[in-house]
Amino acid sequence: MVKADPHHGGNKPRVAILISGRGSNMAALIEAAKADGFPAEIAVVISNRADAGGLALAQAQAVPTVTIESKPFGKDRAAFEAKLQSALEDHRIELICLGGFMRLFTAEFVQRWYGRMLNIHPSLLPSFPGLDPHAQAIAAGVKVSGATVHFVTPETDAGPIVMQGVVTVCDDDTPEVLSARILEIEHQIYPEALRLLASGKLRLDGEICRLVGKASARGALISPHLPAKA
Ligand code: GAR
């Protein structure tokens, strides 16, 4: 059993958030980390696109930003990652949070950061990985969906699950409406998952992530809502 150990020294572990777009999860993480007791520090935001809206949001919060355009690297993932790794080292990063980072990594990079890199995906994994998870959920007719924070492994949108949040899926949902409902949950669970990781409360047991010393809450969500019995 491996304890996911974010502490390589110092006080709060230094976190890099990697983005490609609007950065609403990034903003939620930055906001949460402002609280005194939050056990991690958002040290840098790195974008692989110069036009990512999240860059301005991070700068407005006085979080340092770095842009490493991935397009010029084409399929040379290793060369892009060499630049990324050196930016991570420059900022003495110990943990990575992917927030809508739309670039695949090599197995080597993932292995190097295994147990120290989280991703969020807007579905209840392992259902609906990849593109258009909201449209996938609606097409499948599921009655609940949600969001998943997980450790990153070489396979896309897979890896030990840290936390999930559930929402109802309604008959008249469009992907946009469902996406907005799920996004609210994403903004709640991502900071909590990072809090757990940064405070050493997660341990990896093979493919399973477990909480150290705390039982999960028991509960149920039924959808569609059952009518009261007559
Ligand atoms: C979020 O919904 C996130 O879950 C999703 O991209 C969006 C980014 O939004 N990630 C994936 O689909 C990963 N496969 P944001 O830039 O506003 O955080």
Side-chain angles (χ1 to χ4, degrees):
M1 251 176 246
V2 182
K3 180 137 171 243
D5 183 8
H7 294 284
H8 291 290
N11 296 324
K12 294 183 178 188
R14 292 169 62 79
V15 179
I17 306 175
L18 272 52
I19 64 168
S20 301
R22 71 187 160 184
S24 73
N25 278 288
M26 172 210 77
L29 290 166
I30 291 173
E31 186 59 34
K34 282 186 194 163
D36 274 348
F38 198 84
E41 176 190 346
I42 310 301
V44 68
V45 167
I46 302 177
S47 173
N48 70 323
R49 297 181 56 133
D51 61 357
L55 286 169
L57 290 180
Q59 285 153 11
Q61 298 291 327
V63 176
T65 59
V66 173
T67 300
I68 307 169
E69 284 272 13
S70 55
K71 214 168 185 182
F73 290 94
K75 290 203 168 108
D76 191 350
R77 296 191 190 286
F80 169 75
E81 288 165 5
K83 278 224 148 197
L84 176 59
Q85 180 63 31
S86 99
L88 294 167
E89 285 168 15
D90 287 349
H91 289 267
R92 306 189 315 282
I93 295 306
E94 292 151 280
L95 300 175
I96 297 175
C97 289
L98 305 181
F101 186 71
M102 295 305 187
R103 170 114 184 155
L104 299 176
F105 292 117
T106 61
E108 290 72 26
F109 186 85
V110 170
Q111 206 49 49
R112 168 180 264 180
W113 285 93
Y114 184 67
R116 298 184 293 141
M117 178 157 61
L118 298 176
N119 181 43
I120 189 158
H121 182 76
S123 74
L124 294 175
L125 292 174
S127 291
F128 318 132
L131 296 177
D132 299 323
H134 311 100
Q136 290 187 56
I138 289 169
V142 293
K143 306 306 179 216
V144 296
S145 188
T148 303
V149 179
H150 62 95
F151 284 105
V152 177
T153 54
E155 200 185 330
T156 307
D157 299 325
I161 291 172
V162 176
M163 192 174 283
Q164 295 184 303
V166 180
V167 302
T168 55
V169 181
C170 307
D171 285 349
D172 56 356
D173 274 348
T174 61
E176 292 70 30
V177 168
L178 180 58
S179 162
R181 193 177 303 128
I182 292 176
L183 200 60
E184 278 186 40
I185 293 286
E186 295 186 44
H187 298 164
Q188 292 175 49
I189 66 173
Y190 212 174
E192 288 313 307
L194 176 59
R195 182 196 298 277
L196 291 174
L197 175 60
S199 51
K201 297 220 170 83
L202 301 178
R203 76 187 151 85
L204 286 169
D205 184 0
E207 283 299 292
I208 307 291
C209 173
R210 299 188 200 282
L211 274 185
V212 175
K214 191 177 153 212
S216 323
R218 281 153 179 81
L221 168 65
I222 294 176
S223 171
H225 189 65
L226 299 174
K229 285 198 182 110

